[in-house]
Each structure stands twice: as structure tokens, then as C-alpha cells.
Amino acid sequence: MSGTDKHLAGTLAAQNGDFMTTPSPVSPAAVANPARRKMRREGPGSRLWRALVWGAMIFFLVNVGLMIATVTMNSFATRWFGTPLPEGFTLHWYAQAWQDFQLAQVLWVTVEVVGAVVLLSIALGVPAAYALARVQFPGKRLAMLVFLLPMMVPPVTYGIPMATVLYKVGLGGTLTGVILANLVPSLPFVILVMTPFIEQIDPNLEAAARIFGANTQKYFRHVLLPLLVPGILAAGLLTLVRTIGMFELTFFTAGPDTQTLVVALYYAVFSTGVRAPQSIDAMAMIYMAITLLWVLIALQFVSPTQLVSRVKEAPKDA
């Protein structure tokens, strides 16, 4: 076959879709693991820094784990002096802590305070977050800053003046005063969580509901509320965990009969009198178990790295 015939045959094959190219062989180096190539580029200084970071993290976690294990074991120990393990184990200290520190009343007060703070924060914070997410008005950024100030400022800085005012008006040492004090940082927290959550809800849903004759009450009950339930649940659980561990504001405003569990634990450690360390550790274990339980429940509904996931728009067809 002449050169002209070969060229003509190749052209016809390409037009008919029969022309195929054979892929060139790829060298193993071209398909090497990117992570392995990255490790080759890293110098000894980077590897040393990574080892130091991991070593510090492991050292910190090991210390925390050993402290928790020590408190846990001591809360069940009969005697533990100079030996690797206690001489024996008992539940006596939990019963003694329950009686000596009146934990039944303390836990009930904690439930009342936490429940009231969560309900009031949701009832007041969700409408405020909706207004901040939907309404544009002059000074909106300033209003948001004012709402978030109690979260950015340490509670001690405004806790003492607030407690002074509450005692002057007769609310200091009462259950109402403790609830109001804990509401100050909890309400901005709910607003902070719910505002971006509401912003991701399409405003056209409200317009569509209005077109079909839904009033404000029906729109809230049948359209908006089902969409807000995940955010309300997340904000409520996080507020609950924060309120259980809130010490400063509760300590400044609580009286003898309105102490939450964390304040009662502080008084058990630092108040006058001789108390068995095992009973104090038993009380600490009860506090840690309650807090850990609610944290685990919260993590089932809330991502620790992203409170609100924004909905991505579907790509438009060309």
C-alpha cells in the first residue's frame, strides 16, 4: 500500500469513528501516593514539629485520664495511703455524700434552674434571632454586638455588679435571681446559634405560604416551626450543658437553698469543717456523670466543628 493509500485509509477510519489511540504506559512514579511524595518534601524540622505536637497532645490526654481515674478510684476506696491500689472498694461514700451535702435538694434546684433557663432562652432567643436574620435595619451590627457582649466578656466582670443589683431589689439568693443571672449569657448563645440557622431557610417559603392564605400563626406552626426544630434542639442542649457548668454567676447570686450542683461541690471542697476526701470525690463523680451524659446527648444532634450546615444550591443547567 502506497503512502497516499495509507493516509486515505487513516482519514476514512477517523471519520467512521474507528480510529483508536493506544494509551501510553504510565510510569509507577507518576501514580505514586501523594501523601508519600508530601512526606519526601517535608524536612526534618516539619517531622520534628509534628512529633512534638502529637507528644504534647498525648501527654495532656494521659494526664487528664489519670486524674479522672484517680478521682474515680478514690470515690470507691475504703483506704488508699501509699499503695498502688486501694485496700478495698465500697459505695459508702456515695451514700454519705448524698446525705451530707443534701444532693437530692441540690439536684432538684439544678433541674429547676437549668429547665427555666433553657425554656426562657429558647422563648426569647428564637424570635430575636428571627428578627436579626430577616429584618434589615440601621444599627443591626451594633445590636448584634450588644447581644453577644455577655459571651465575649468574662462572667466575673459583670457578675459582681449584677449580683449587687439583684440583692438590692430582693432577688439575691432566690431561685428567680439565679435563673435571671444564668439567662444573661444563655440568651445571646441561643441567638448566636439560631441566627445563621434561620438565615439558611429560604424566605420564599413564607411568601408561598402567604399566597396560599396562611396567616402568621399557621405559617409559624406548619412551616417555620418544623424547620426550626433541629436548631432549637441543638441550641437547647448546648444551653443546658453550659448552664450546668456555669459557676461564677450562680455562685454570686445563689443562697443556701438555691445552690446548683457545681456551687455545692465548690462549698464541699472549700468550706470549713473536716470532710472525707472520698465523699467529695463521690460528689465530683456525680457531677461529672451528669454533665457527661448531657454532653453525649448533645453530640448526637450537634457537630462540634460546625453548628449549622448551610444548604448548597444545586448547580444550574446550562
Side-chain angles (χ1 to χ4, degrees), residues 104-126:
Q105 179 184 353
V106 171
L107 289 176
W108 177 246
V109 171
T110 304
V111 170
E112 289 180 321
V113 172
V114 172
V117 169
V118 171
L119 292 178
L120 289 174
S121 298
I122 295 297
L124 299 175
V126 173

Side-chain angles (χ1 to χ4, degrees), residues 237-238 240-242 244 287-302 304:
L237 287 172
L238 292 174
L240 184 146
V241 174
R242 284 172 55 90
I244 290 177
Y287 170 74
M288 186 174 65
I290 294 174
T291 307
L292 181 62
L293 174 64
W294 284 109
V295 168
L296 293 177
I297 294 175
L299 289 178
Q300 298 299 317
F301 301 93
V302 185

Side-chain angles (χ1 to χ4, degrees), residues 208-244:
R210 299 292 186 186
I211 292 175
F212 285 102
N215 55 21
T216 302
Q217 183 178 0
K218 290 183 178 180
Y219 166 72
F220 177 78
R221 186 194 311 168
H222 298 289
V223 179
L224 186 60
L225 185 59
L227 296 174
L228 291 180
V229 165
I232 292 175
L233 185 61
L237 287 172
L238 292 174
T239 303
L240 184 146
V241 174
R242 284 172 55 90
T243 306
I244 290 177

